[in-house]
Amino acid sequence: MEFSPTSGGCSRGIRCTADITGQCPNELKAPGGCNNPCTVYKTDQYCCNSGNCSPTNLSKFFKARCPDAYSYPKDDQTSTFTCPGGTNYRVVFCP
């Protein structure tokens, strides 16, 4: 998927061309897709309910395949940004 601004003074977009469903780790496989680790394990390590967490092997798996993606709750430095209100976007589902 590609999600990129086309106007509004924002120049950063996000893109992921990985086949996440096809490469999904066995423990996260779900019918038609891939669950997130918090849904499967329901632990602070994966859900970060305490606010004190770091990347896990599973978040690193997703981040390696989709570097722009928000892969765990504290992944702010590389994956969180905002565009001004009124920005238009182009969405491509199979880039």
Side-chain angles (χ1 to χ4, degrees), residues 5-12 82-88:
T6 59
S7 68
C10 188
S11 60
R12 183 169 177 198
T82 59
C83 291
T87 300
N88 292 314

Side-chain angles (χ1 to χ4, degrees), residues 3 27 35 57 68 88 94:
F3 192 81
E27 63 268 33
N35 275 316
N57 287 341
D68 294 331
N88 292 314
C94 295

Side-chain angles (χ1 to χ4, degrees), residues 27-58:
E27 63 268 33
L28 300 181
K29 285 189 178 180
C34 193
N35 275 316
N36 73 64
C38 179
T39 299
V40 172
Y41 295 109
K42 297 176 179 61
T43 64
D44 192 54
Q45 176 185 8
Y46 295 107
C47 300
C48 196
N49 295 322
S50 69
N52 184 21
C53 59
S54 5
T56 65
N57 287 341
L58 291 170

